[in-house]
Amino acid sequence: WSLRQPDGIPPEARRFASSSTYKSRILFVVGGEGENEKYFDDIWGLDVIALKWINVSLSSNTIPSFCGGVMEIKNQVAYIYGGKRENNEVSEEVSVFRITDKGLPPINLKSNTKSSIIQSLLLTNPKLSDFEIGIVVGTGSFGRVFCALHTLTKKYYAIKELCKAHVIDLNQVEHVKAERDVLSSICHPHIVNYCGCFQD
């Protein structure tokens, strides 16, 4: 676990907020309760890839007043069940609002921007002797993937081993280079992060 401070203007500290992620990119935070105030009628968005608070504009002036309901987003529609209303009554209603992509940051798979977490894992001029090679965690057409401990940083990495002769025999040199180039240029929560390469 680590504490991170997103960029942008954050919402007031609160608890009992309703929250859910949209397209694995935007964490919507709705309502909530602070130390001395209840936040019934506001909504916030956190870009979890760029780690930045974003402005969320509403097509209507108000949203249903609630605090602490269960929230789920499905096919661009957010559903919030229950929660506490402004009169402190517990609600059995389902509040619904539609999400559009207008104004939201796109997921750019060609972005060279790496999060600070990934930047901290990037390796400068790595070599095989920097690692303690552990167990095999996967096998493929061209080689194996090992779990390895970086002896200096004490961080674990997955190391993909490729047999150069085998890659050349199967005419896969350009494919291997393309895989390296693509992985080194993207940062996405559902794709393995590239941290470096070397040859022995």
Side-chain angles (χ1 to χ4, degrees), residues 9 83 88 173:
I9 301 173
N88 286 328
V173 174

Side-chain angles (χ1 to χ4, degrees), residues 35-50:
E35 285 294 324
N36 301 307
E37 187 175 356
K38 293 182 174 66
Y39 304 102
F40 288 102
D41 296 325
D42 66 350
I43 180 169
W44 295 78
L46 176 64
D47 184 335
V48 298
I49 294 179

Side-chain angles (χ1 to χ4, degrees), residues 126-133 149-151 198:
K127 53 187 181 296
L128 185 60
S129 59
D130 294 337
F131 297 90
E132 292 180 7
I133 305 300
L149 175 68
H150 191 260
T151 55
F198 55 88

Side-chain angles (χ1 to χ4, degrees), residues 2-199:
S2 64
L3 296 177
R4 308 307 308 280
Q5 183 62 50
D7 295 330
I9 301 173
E12 294 81 359
R14 64 189 64 192
R15 59 188 178 182
F16 307 130
S18 303
S19 62
S20 186
T21 54
Y22 173 62
K23 291 188 175 180
S24 301
R25 174 77 190 245
I26 307 300
L27 173 65
F28 283 103
V29 179
V30 183
E33 183 177 292
E35 285 294 324
N36 301 307
E37 187 175 356
K38 293 182 174 66
Y39 304 102
F40 288 102
D41 296 325
D42 66 350
I43 180 169
W44 295 78
L46 176 64
D47 184 335
V48 298
I49 294 179
L51 203 61
K52 179 179 182 180
W53 290 104
I54 61 173
N55 294 323
V56 177
S57 58
L58 303 175
S59 58
S60 60
N61 293 330
T62 60
I63 59 176
S65 297
F66 47 79
C67 178
V70 178
M71 183 175 179
E72 176 68 22
I73 297 176
K74 183 72 173 178
N75 297 328
Q76 293 189 286
V77 178
Y79 303 87
I80 302 178
Y81 169 73
K84 187 164 56 174
R85 304 299 178 178
E86 287 185 276
N87 59 7
N88 286 328
E89 291 183 358
V90 177
S91 173
E92 296 179 352
E93 298 175 354
V94 176
S95 301
V96 179
F97 64 89
R98 184 167 181 78
I99 302 169
T100 65
D101 292 335
K102 184 178 180 181
L104 296 180
I107 297 178
N108 182 6
L109 294 183
K110 293 185 178 181
S111 172
N112 287 320
T113 302
K114 297 279 189 178
S115 71
S116 57
I117 295 177
I118 304 306
Q119 289 285 1
S120 69
L121 295 175
L122 294 178
L123 298 173
T124 303
N125 300 321
K127 53 187 181 296
L128 185 60
S129 59
D130 294 337
F131 297 90
E132 292 180 7
I133 305 300
I135 63 172
V136 175
V137 294
T139 58
S141 301
F142 308 126
R144 298 172 292 178
V145 178
F146 296 87
C147 178
L149 175 68
H150 191 260
T151 55
L152 181 61
T153 63
K154 302 303 180 185
K155 293 178 180 178
Y156 285 94
Y157 291 83
I159 294 183
K160 184 176 184 179
E161 172 196 64
L162 299 176
C163 175
K164 287 186 282 186
H166 193 42
V167 171
I168 293 171
D169 289 343
L170 294 176
N171 296 317
Q172 295 296 311
V173 174
E174 294 305 315
H175 288 167
V176 170
K177 289 181 179 179
E179 178 184 20
R180 178 201 60 197
D181 293 342
V182 169
L183 287 176
S184 64
S185 67
I186 61 175
C187 181
H188 192 278
H190 297 157
I191 299 175
V192 66
N193 293 296
Y194 171 89
C195 298
C197 68
F198 55 88
Q199 56 183 327

